Amino acid sequence: MDIKELISVLPKAELHLHIEGSFEPELMFEIAERNKVSIPYKSVEEVRDAYSFHNLQSFLDIYYAGASVLLKEVDFYDMTMAYLKRCYEDHVVHTEIFFDPQTHTDRGVPFEVVFKGIKNALDEGEKKYGITSKMIMCFLRHLSEEEAFKTLEMAKPFKDNIIAVGLDSSEVGHPPAKFQKVFDEARSQGYLTVAHAGEEGPPDYIWQALDLLKVKRIDHGVRALEDEKLMDIIIRERIPLTVCPLSNLKLCVVDDLRKHNLKKMLDRGVCVTINSDDPSYFGGYMNQNFLETSKALNLNKSDLIQIAKNSFEASFMDDKEKEHWIEKCNQVQ
Ligand code: ADE
Ligand code: ZN
C-alpha cells in the first residue's frame, strides 16, 4: 500500500476545523444569490485569486467577509453538509468543529439560527455518513471579554450540545489572560476548554492557555518548540497539539512545508494531530494535509498511524469510542 492509499484508509478524527473556513466559493456565490446579497467578486476564480495571504490577519479579513452572506438556518446547514461530505470522502469518522457565533450575531443573525443550522447538519451527517461530531464554540479574541460573556449567555439554551469553548481570531496582542474570567465561568458551567495559542503568538501564550484557561488541547501550538520547559510539560502530560500544516504554510507561519516542526515534535513524543483549519481557504481538506505533510517531511507508515491514533486519543469522545478507533488504526496494514 502506498502512502496515499494508507492515508485514505486510515480512520481519522478532525479536531481543528472552523466551519466558516470550509465555506467554498461556489456555495458562497449560490447563497449570496439566493439571499440577494452582493459580494465584491465577479466570479469563483476571482474569489480564489483573492486567497493569497501574508499573515493571519490578511486571511481573517477575507474570511469574515465571506461569512457575511450566511443569513438563514439553511445556509449554515448547507455549509456544514458540504464539509461532512468531504469528511466522508477522506475517511474522517469523527469531527469536532469550531463555530464563531460572534461573526454572525454581530451582523444580526440570531445565535439560534447559527446553532440549529449547524447542529441539524451534524445530526444528518451521522445518519447519512456515520460521522460522529462535537461542537466547540469559539470566542473572537479581538473582541472584549464582556462580548464573550454575552455569547456564553446566548449559548445557555444550547449548552448540552456544545462540548467546549475555544478562542480564535487575531492572536498577537490578545493573550489568553484577557479571557480568564469568561473561561472560568464556562468551566463552571461544564464546558471543556481549548484555545488557539502559539500559531503566531509566543510560547508564553501557550503557558497562559494551560495555566489560566486550563485547556485540554492547544490549537496550533507550533511555537512550543521554542521553550524547552513547555515542551517537557506538553510531552509529559500528553497535551495534544492540533496542528494545521497547510494553514501554517498559507499564513506564512512556515515558509516551506519541509521546514515544518511536526515531525520533530512527533519524534519527541508530543501528541500531535493533523487538521485542515480552514480548508476552503488553505488548499486542502484532511487527506491533502496528510499527504503534503508526509511528502514534505518524509513521514513513514508508523508516523501516519501514530498521528491518526493521536487524533482519537486527543478527541472528546468517551474512552470506549477512543479504544474502538485506535484499534481500527492498529489494524490498518
Ligand atoms: N479563525 C479561523 N482560522 C483561524 C486561525 N487559523 N487562527 C485563528 N483564528 C482563526
Ligand atoms: Zn484555527
Side-chain angles (χ1 to χ4, degrees):
M1 194 185 309
D2 67 12
I3 289 287
K4 194 170 177 187
E5 219 181 321
L6 174 68
I7 291 167
S8 70
V9 299
L10 262 178
K12 294 163 290 281
E14 177 140 72
L15 307 179
H16 187 150
L17 178 283
H18 303 262
I19 196 64
E20 294 90 348
S22 72
F23 197 20
E24 292 286 346
E26 287 81 2
L27 187 58
M28 198 182 290
F29 264 82
E30 196 183 311
I31 292 180
E33 208 159 88
R34 77 186 184 207
N35 285 345
K36 304 197 171 21
V37 293
S38 66
I39 47 177
Y41 305 103
K42 286 197 202 71
S43 65
V44 165
E45 290 69 38
E46 216 181 285
V47 181
R48 287 223 163 83
D49 286 348
Y51 292 177
S52 161
F53 314 113
H54 53 275
N55 60 15
L56 175 59
Q57 194 59 50
S58 63
F59 152 70
L60 289 171
D61 294 341
I62 288 190
Y63 162 86
Y64 294 129
S68 70
V69 308
L70 299 161
L71 298 177
K72 305 193 175 125
E73 196 177 306
V74 66
D75 304 339
F76 292 91
Y77 179 90
D78 287 349
M79 176 175 67
T80 308
M81 278 315 287
Y83 164 66
L84 292 168
K85 181 167 181 282
R86 304 300 287 257
C87 285
Y88 179 69
E89 288 163 1
D90 280 2
H91 204 23
V92 171
V93 298
H94 177 76
T95 182
E96 300 187 353
I97 66 166
F98 298 131
F99 70 114
D100 287 341
Q102 289 159 300
T103 301
H104 314 295
T105 52
D106 283 6
R107 300 181 288 114
V109 179
F111 188 103
E112 184 179 3
V113 165
V114 180
F115 175 85
K116 282 191 176 163
I118 298 171
K119 174 70 176 136
N120 288 340
L122 293 175
D123 290 346
E124 179 62 19
E126 183 158 6
K127 276 193 229 141
K128 190 170 174 182
Y129 300 122
I131 297 170
T132 54
S133 58
K134 309 266 184 212
M135 292 175 76
I136 301 173
M137 175 174 81
C138 284
F139 301 124
L140 299 181
R141 68 202 303 161
H142 67 274
L143 302 178
S144 67
E145 187 177 46
E146 194 189 336
E147 296 292 330
F149 266 111
K150 282 187 198 152
T151 305
L152 189 63
E153 191 58 33
M154 282 185 220
K156 266 219 169 114
F158 312 99
K159 189 168 122 340
D160 292 347
N161 287 299
I162 302 173
I163 188 87
V165 297
L167 193 61
D168 65 2
S169 192
S170 322
E171 186 181 6
V172 176
H174 301 285
K178 179 178 162 187
F179 295 92
Q180 186 173 357
K181 289 195 196 76
V182 73
F183 270 64
D184 280 348
E185 174 58 26
R187 283 197 321 283
S188 78
Q189 290 183 20
Y191 293 98
L192 301 174
T193 61
V194 297
H196 284 55
E199 178 185 18
E200 287 185 343
D204 181 47
Y205 284 19
I206 303 178
W207 281 113
Q208 290 183 25
L210 294 170
D211 292 345
L212 307 180
L213 308 187
K214 318 277 184 211
V215 297
K216 302 282 183 207
R217 304 194 288 245
I218 296 286
D219 297 315
H220 292 296
V222 289
R223 291 194 58 190
L225 258 179
E226 295 169 28
D227 183 331
E228 266 311 304
K229 268 204 177 136
L230 180 59
M231 282 296 286
D232 282 349
I233 287 187
I234 286 174
I235 294 166
R236 193 162 12 99
E237 296 186 10
R238 276 195 79 69
I239 295 159
L241 304 186
T242 64
V243 178
C244 307
L246 288 180
S247 163
N248 293 155
L249 183 64
K250 286 283 156 43
L251 299 186
C252 307
V253 171
V254 290
D255 61 13
D256 187 326
L257 213 46
R258 287 172 297 187
K259 294 187 199 159
H260 200 288
N261 60 18
L262 179 137
K263 168 78 172 153
K264 266 194 206 107
M265 294 198 286
L266 186 69
D267 287 347
R268 291 193 55 187
V270 177
C271 184
V272 285
T273 64
I274 288 183
N275 308 270
S276 68
D277 204 3
D278 302 282
S280 159
Y281 293 88
F282 301 150
Y285 286 77
M286 186 66 125
N287 285 2
Q288 196 66 23
N289 272 272
F290 263 81
L291 189 61
E292 291 195 31
T293 309
S294 302
K295 284 186 183 157
L297 302 178
N298 283 318
L299 300 184
N300 60 34
K301 192 175 150 187
S302 76
D303 292 333
L304 294 169
I305 293 175
Q306 185 62 52
I307 295 167
K309 289 191 332 190
N310 288 350
S311 75
F312 295 107
E313 178 188 336
S315 76
F316 295 142
M317 286 175 160
D318 66 34
D319 287 347
K320 259 213 133 116
E321 289 172 295
K322 288 187 188 189
E323 271 169 39
H324 167 83
W325 286 114
I326 289 170
E327 186 46 36
K328 289 273 179 207
C329 292
N330 284 330
Q331 284 165 8
V332 172
Q333 288 306 323

